[in-house]
Amino acid sequence: MAQDTHQKILEAADQLFGEFGFDAASTRLIAERSGINKALIHYHFGSKDELFRAVLDRYYERLGEVLSAHLEGEGPVRDRFTTLIDAYVDFLRDNLAFSHIVQREAAGGRHVERIISRMTPLLQGGVQLLRAAYPDAFEDDVGPAQVLLSYYGMIISTFTYAPVLAPILGFDPLGDEALAARKRHLQHMVDLLVSDLEATSKERGEEK
Amino acid sequence: MAQDTHQKILEAADQLFGEFGFDAASTRLIAERSGINKALIHYHFGSKDELFRAVLDRYYERLGEVLSAHLEGEGPVRDRFTTLIDAYVDFLRDNLAFSHIVQREAAGGRHVERIISRMTPLLQGGVQLLRAAYPDAFEDDVGPAQVLLSYYGMIISTFTYAPVLAPILGFDPLGDEALAARKRHLQHMVDLLVSDLEATSKERGEEK
Amino acid sequence: MAQDTHQKILEAADQLFGEFGFDAASTRLIAERSGINKALIHYHFGSKDELFRAVLDRYYERLGEVLSAHLEGEGPVRDRFTTLIDAYVDFLRDNLAFSHIVQREAAGGRHVERIISRMTPLLQGGVQLLRAAYPDAFEDDVGPAQVLLSYYGMIISTFTYAPVLAPILGFDPLGDEALAARKRHLQHMVDLLVSDLEATSKERGEEK
Amino acid sequence: MAQDTHQKILEAADQLFGEFGFDAASTRLIAERSGINKALIHYHFGSKDELFRAVLDRYYERLGEVLSAHLEGEGPVRDRFTTLIDAYVDFLRDNLAFSHIVQREAAGGRHVERIISRMTPLLQGGVQLLRAAYPDAFEDDVGPAQVLLSYYGMIISTFTYAPVLAPILGFDPLGDEALAARKRHLQHMVDLLVSDLEATSKERGEEK
DNA sequence: TATGAATGAGAGTTCATTCAT
DNA sequence: CATGAATGAACTCTCATTCAT
């Protein structure tokens, strides 16, 4: 029963933080949506801030599992990179609130630090993967970071700006077909880049 | 004097909305930062919501001017696309608050509609540009929208996720040099894509 | 075990009521300090109010025993008065929380009545002692009450205002030496008064 | 009108802090008693704590004026000491809430420091007066402090323990007649002490 | 235009107390 | 006896907004 309450609060908070943002999602609202007493939020989580962190942590743990499966996997980098992007898109599709929360809080405010400390290891994992895969193409961490930031931006914007694209396209950009198309586009972007990296890599490798 | 007050409010609100978000930037704070009386905000703007819209509108007007110069310009698309991206990056660098505001509010909340209606014409301009430039590569609006969304994501993430990259890179990703490097990366991404589009275009053109 | 819990609650409540006052000493705090479950306070004492009364009653029972030994004793009144004051000082020194609780709650609030009903018999004992000792000096209860109130005030202020004196004196007014000096002062005040009472008594006795 | 509100809040707070203590006097209650909006308390005083300090400061300023008139006056010390005590009693009679507030907060809690810093100069003034008057009777500050503490205790207990004495005496210890009697008693205590001090002073003076 | 004061609603949080196990 | 969970009321405080001057 207690575990149940804990969960109900987490899920309502998750939804509402995603929908309205941290400030606009009041504890009263969260309590109403959970169907629990407002005081229970503080009983279970201590404060609204800690509740937020719990929501965030839960997401990053799941995301960490999803990504590490790909980061630490085997096989050609091009494939791993592609499937990782697919997995990322799937994760965000299944956790729309998360994408909103991250975009909002990363843009500045009281929880940026938490976002930073959670994203850092994931990003570093990506950097290492790229450097290992194309040692000749990258001399330092800057290049891989550029690449990752770009792909990260392409992916998350899919979700953040879906409402902006919808009226232009005339259909829901987060529907199954639309997302499949988006994935193809992203894969194509990966192909372009990876081919380029391989070419560069080969070229520079020969120079040595 | 009144014009002056109007302006001071706008600028303080701009800064604070960017730094803390709409909810956390209280009218008291805005008044303090402006050095004006709190009641004047309502005298000049009617409500906090309308003040926010004024801030947003001011940005989109400036941005519109900047972008339309490139969208409606002449010369090869590859160049126009490249300079447009450069201009976009410069605009966001000069208006950091704007990038934060957009990312936050586009992620959902009370002001999404305003963001949508402001972004739509800009996006449509971009779509038209791409379709006109590569009529053979794109059959409908979906392809260009994908491309634009991707580049938009790459650009704005530069600013939103700068704090995340900073500790990994060991330097400020928004410094002059770093931004120049970022621009080169973005240009490279444009090159890859445009070459691809031209190839596809040529290919499909020949098929006809 | 149950007796143990009862005791642990009483002692924690005692300390905390003394340190922070009734309102500021929350049941949560008392439970934490006792190392017991918050609900047990109500199981054992019914309510926070009743817990407070239990703390108070325990003190007054102990104090009653201490004082009655002197009030009902034999020997010259001057000596009994002096030793009573010493005993009172010692009692308060050993029960600092008590002195704080009494001063605070006697100053008004929800528990004044309890304080009154507990202090009344003690005060009446003192009045009777003085009237019996100096029948010629006092015609009614008013005179003895004045005297007792004055000495009571001198004694308890020793403890209530120790923090105020400390920075002026440069040492702890509740240290062993300081308290011994205080006792000497109080005894001196008793000497002055008793000599006066005896003189008055003799004078008036001769008048008759 | 604003000054009026400020005053109404101060007076209601004063009464309620005196009657119930800081914690039990809620801002809601204070607002109701003042007939003003709850938020105005924070508009005018910032916080409940600062409101409390304002109440306290107002009292100590008034008290300072009253006492300094006597401390810095001229004439024989016996007379000045006597009239000072009378003035103190009058002040407390006219400011019953003050006596309660001081007794309660001096007994420990969040505002002790404020009490200490306010009482210290007054006490030091008293110490200097006594040392100047009886240089031969006192070698250091300890003796005068003892004396002052004792008289202070006698005076304030008059008010703190009035409710305890009432049922024993059968009349209100704070009525005009009763207070006059109390003053006579206190004066008598002063007489006893001063005579003693003068005797001691003379004795020791001759020894030199 | 500009100001200080005022308002009512609601924020997050803590409280003493109760309940089911 | 003891516990963790739950409750509803109350807390201090801040909010956007309005009003009188």
Side-chain angles (χ1 to χ4, degrees):
Chain A
M1 194 67 182
Q3 198 61 17
D4 198 42
T5 301
H6 199 89
Q7 212 59 23
K8 280 195 286 185
I9 295 172
L10 267 179
E11 265 146 38
D14 171 7
Q15 271 185 56
L16 291 165
F17 285 151
E19 196 169 351
F20 302 120
F22 180 79
D23 289 306
S26 71
T27 52
R28 181 184 53 76
L29 209 58
I30 294 169
E32 275 171 18
R33 189 94 111 202
S34 319
I36 56 100
N37 186 288
K38 196 159 61 100
L40 277 178
I41 292 174
H42 295 86
Y43 178 78
H44 282 274
F45 294 92
S47 70
K48 194 188 175 186
D49 265 52
E50 286 180 71
L51 170 58
F52 181 79
R53 279 179 227 135
V55 168
L56 212 57
D57 287 354
R58 197 172 60 147
Y59 274 124
Y60 274 110
E61 263 147 47
R62 292 186 199 166
L63 178 62
E65 287 169 21
V66 169
L67 295 190
S68 66
H70 294 270
L71 287 172
E72 297 157 7
E74 296 194 356
V77 169
R78 181 191 294 241
D79 295 354
R80 281 162 64 196
F81 205 22
T82 301
T83 57
L84 184 147
I85 285 177
D86 267 23
Y88 216 142
V89 169
D90 288 344
F91 184 83
L92 293 181
R93 178 202 58 205
D94 297 337
N95 300 283
L96 288 179
F98 176 60
S99 70
H100 295 149
I101 291 172
V102 173
Q103 285 287 71
R104 224 177 336 231
E105 304 302 331
R110 211 155 64 268
H111 304 98
V112 199
E113 285 306 319
R114 195 74 162 196
I115 301 270
I116 292 176
S117 64
R118 282 304 203 161
M119 287 192 75
T120 298
L122 298 178
L123 236 155
Q124 276 170 329
V127 167
Q128 279 162 16
L129 175 69
L130 282 178
R131 288 198 73 176
Y134 305 104
D136 293 321
F138 299 118
E139 290 164 12
D140 51 23
D141 285 357
V142 181
Q146 298 275 17
V147 168
L148 290 173
L149 179 58
S150 290
Y151 282 88
Y152 178 82
M154 294 188 218
I155 295 167
I156 196 151
S157 296
T158 309
F159 297 92
T160 307
Y161 293 93
V164 181
L165 285 179
I168 292 175
L169 298 178
F171 55 82
D172 175 18
L174 300 182
D176 283 351
E177 261 189 78
L179 268 186
R182 180 71 187 160
K183 278 185 184 174
R184 283 195 301 275
H185 167 77
L186 292 172
Q187 281 160 16
H188 187 61
M189 295 297 285
V190 168
D191 285 342
L192 289 179
L193 181 82
V194 169
S195 298
D196 178 62
L197 284 177
E198 283 169 356
T200 309
S201 210
K202 195 178 170 191
E203 205 173 302
R204 294 202 189 161
E206 283 168 359
E207 281 173 16
K208 291 188 185 173
Chain B
M1 191 69 181
Q3 195 60 18
D4 195 43
T5 299
H6 198 89
Q7 211 57 23
K8 281 195 284 185
I9 295 171
L10 268 179
E11 264 145 40
D14 168 8
Q15 270 186 57
L16 291 165
F17 285 149
E19 195 169 351
F20 302 122
F22 179 79
D23 290 303
S26 68
T27 53
R28 181 182 53 73
L29 209 59
I30 294 168
E32 275 171 19
R33 189 95 111 198
S34 320
I36 55 102
N37 185 286
K38 196 157 64 100
L40 280 177
I41 292 174
H42 291 84
Y43 180 81
H44 282 271
F45 294 92
S47 73
K48 195 188 174 187
D49 267 50
E50 286 179 71
L51 169 59
F52 181 80
R53 279 179 225 133
V55 168
L56 212 57
D57 287 353
R58 197 172 61 147
Y59 274 123
Y60 274 111
E61 264 147 46
R62 292 187 199 164
L63 178 62
E65 286 168 23
V66 169
L67 296 190
S68 66
H70 294 271
L71 288 173
E72 297 157 7
E74 296 196 355
V77 169
R78 181 191 294 242
D79 295 354
R80 283 162 64 197
F81 205 24
T82 300
T83 56
L84 184 147
I85 284 177
D86 266 23
Y88 215 142
V89 169
D90 289 344
F91 184 82
L92 293 181
R93 177 202 58 203
D94 297 337
N95 300 281
L96 289 179
F98 175 61
S99 71
H100 295 150
I101 291 172
V102 173
Q103 285 287 71
R104 226 177 335 230
E105 304 302 331
R110 212 154 64 267
H111 306 98
V112 200
E113 285 306 318
R114 196 74 163 197
I115 302 268
I116 293 176
S117 64
R118 280 305 203 162
M119 288 191 75
T120 299
L122 298 177
L123 236 156
Q124 277 171 329
V127 167
Q128 280 160 18
L129 174 69
L130 282 178
R131 290 199 71 177
Y134 305 105
D136 292 322
F138 299 118
E139 290 163 12
D140 50 23
D141 286 357
V142 180
Q146 297 276 17
V147 168
L148 290 173
L149 178 59
S150 289
Y151 282 88
Y152 177 83
M154 293 189 219
I155 295 167
I156 196 153
S157 296
T158 308
F159 297 92
T160 307
Y161 292 93
V164 181
L165 284 178
I168 291 175
L169 298 179
F171 55 81
D172 175 18
L174 300 183
D176 283 351
E177 263 189 76
L179 267 187
R182 181 71 187 160
K183 279 184 184 176
R184 283 195 300 277
H185 167 78
L186 293 172
Q187 283 158 15
H188 189 60
M189 295 298 286
V190 169
D191 284 343
L192 289 180
L193 182 81
V194 169
S195 299
D196 177 63
L197 284 177
E198 285 169 354
T200 310
S201 210
K202 195 178 171 193
E203 204 173 300
R204 293 203 190 160
E206 284 168 359
E207 280 176 15
K208 289 188 185 173
Chain C
M1 192 65 180
Q3 195 60 17
D4 196 42
T5 299
H6 198 91
Q7 210 58 24
K8 281 195 285 187
I9 295 172
L10 268 178
E11 265 146 40
D14 169 8
Q15 271 185 57
L16 291 165
F17 285 149
E19 196 169 351
F20 302 122
F22 179 79
D23 289 304
S26 69
T27 53
R28 181 183 51 75
L29 209 59
I30 294 169
E32 275 171 19
R33 189 96 110 198
S34 320
I36 56 101
N37 186 286
K38 197 156 63 102
L40 279 177
I41 292 175
H42 292 84
Y43 180 82
H44 282 271
F45 294 92
S47 73
K48 195 188 174 186
D49 267 49
E50 286 179 70
L51 169 59
F52 180 79
R53 280 179 224 132
V55 168
L56 212 58
D57 288 353
R58 197 172 61 147
Y59 275 124
Y60 275 112
E61 264 148 45
R62 291 187 201 164
L63 178 62
E65 286 169 22
V66 170
L67 295 190
S68 66
H70 294 271
L71 288 172
E72 297 156 7
E74 296 195 356
V77 170
R78 183 190 294 242
D79 295 354
R80 283 162 63 196
F81 205 24
T82 300
T83 56
L84 184 146
I85 284 177
D86 267 23
Y88 215 143
V89 169
D90 288 345
F91 183 83
L92 293 180
R93 177 202 58 204
D94 297 338
N95 299 282
L96 288 179
F98 175 61
S99 71
H100 295 150
I101 291 172
V102 173
Q103 285 286 71
R104 227 177 336 230
E105 303 302 331
R110 212 155 64 267
H111 305 98
V112 201
E113 286 305 320
R114 197 73 163 197
I115 302 268
I116 293 176
S117 64
R118 280 306 201 161
M119 288 191 75
T120 299
L122 299 177
L123 235 155
Q124 277 171 329
V127 167
Q128 280 162 17
L129 175 69
L130 282 178
R131 288 199 73 177
Y134 306 104
D136 292 322
F138 299 118
E139 290 164 10
D140 51 22
D141 284 358
V142 181
Q146 297 276 18
V147 169
L148 290 173
L149 179 57
S150 289
Y151 281 88
Y152 177 82
M154 294 188 219
I155 295 167
I156 196 152
S157 296
T158 308
F159 297 91
T160 307
Y161 292 92
V164 181
L165 285 177
I168 291 175
L169 299 178
F171 55 82
D172 175 18
L174 299 183
D176 283 351
E177 264 189 74
L179 267 187
R182 181 73 188 158
K183 277 184 185 174
R184 283 195 300 276
H185 168 79
L186 293 172
Q187 282 158 17
H188 188 61
M189 293 298 285
V190 168
D191 285 342
L192 290 179
L193 182 81
V194 168
S195 299
D196 178 62
L197 285 177
E198 283 169 355
T200 311
S201 210
K202 195 178 172 191
E203 206 175 299
R204 293 201 189 161
E206 282 167 359
E207 279 174 17
K208 291 184 186 174
Chain D
M1 195 67 181
Q3 197 62 15
D4 198 43
T5 300
H6 198 89
Q7 211 59 23
K8 281 196 284 186
I9 295 172
L10 267 180
E11 265 146 37
D14 171 7
Q15 272 184 55
L16 291 166
F17 285 150
E19 196 169 351
F20 302 121
F22 180 80
D23 289 307
S26 71
T27 53
R28 182 183 51 75
L29 209 59
I30 294 169
E32 275 171 18
R33 188 94 112 201
S34 320
I36 54 101
N37 186 289
K38 202 157 57 100
L40 278 178
I41 292 175
H42 295 88
Y43 178 78
H44 282 274
F45 294 92
S47 72
K48 195 188 175 186
D49 265 53
E50 286 180 72
L51 170 58
F52 181 80
R53 278 179 227 134
V55 168
L56 212 57
D57 287 354
R58 197 172 60 147
Y59 275 124
Y60 274 111
E61 264 148 46
R62 291 186 199 166
L63 178 62
E65 288 169 21
V66 169
L67 296 190
S68 66
H70 294 270
L71 288 173
E72 297 157 6
E74 297 194 357
V77 169
R78 181 191 294 244
D79 295 355
R80 282 162 65 196
F81 205 22
T82 302
T83 57
L84 185 147
I85 284 178
D86 266 24
Y88 216 142
V89 170
D90 288 345
F91 184 83
L92 293 181
R93 176 202 60 204
D94 296 338
N95 299 283
L96 288 179
F98 176 60
S99 70
H100 295 150
I101 291 171
V102 173
Q103 285 286 72
R104 224 177 337 231
E105 303 302 331
R110 210 154 65 268
H111 303 98
V112 199
E113 284 307 318
R114 196 75 163 196
I115 302 268
I116 292 176
S117 64
R118 281 305 202 160
M119 288 191 76
T120 298
L122 299 178
L123 235 156
Q124 276 170 328
V127 167
Q128 281 162 14
L129 176 69
L130 283 179
R131 289 199 72 178
Y134 307 105
D136 292 321
F138 299 119
E139 290 163 10
D140 53 22
D141 286 358
V142 180
Q146 297 276 16
V147 168
L148 290 172
L149 180 57
S150 290
Y151 282 88
Y152 178 83
M154 295 188 218
I155 295 168
I156 197 153
S157 296
T158 309
F159 297 92
T160 308
Y161 292 94
V164 181
L165 285 179
I168 292 174
L169 299 178
F171 55 82
D172 175 18
L174 298 183
D176 284 350
E177 261 189 79
L179 267 187
R182 181 70 186 160
K183 279 184 184 175
R184 282 194 302 275
H185 167 78
L186 293 172
Q187 281 160 16
H188 188 61
M189 295 296 286
V190 168
D191 285 341
L192 289 180
L193 182 81
V194 168
S195 299
D196 178 61
L197 284 177
E198 283 169 358
T200 310
S201 211
K202 198 178 167 190
E203 206 174 299
R204 295 203 188 160
E206 282 167 1
E207 280 173 17
K208 290 188 185 173

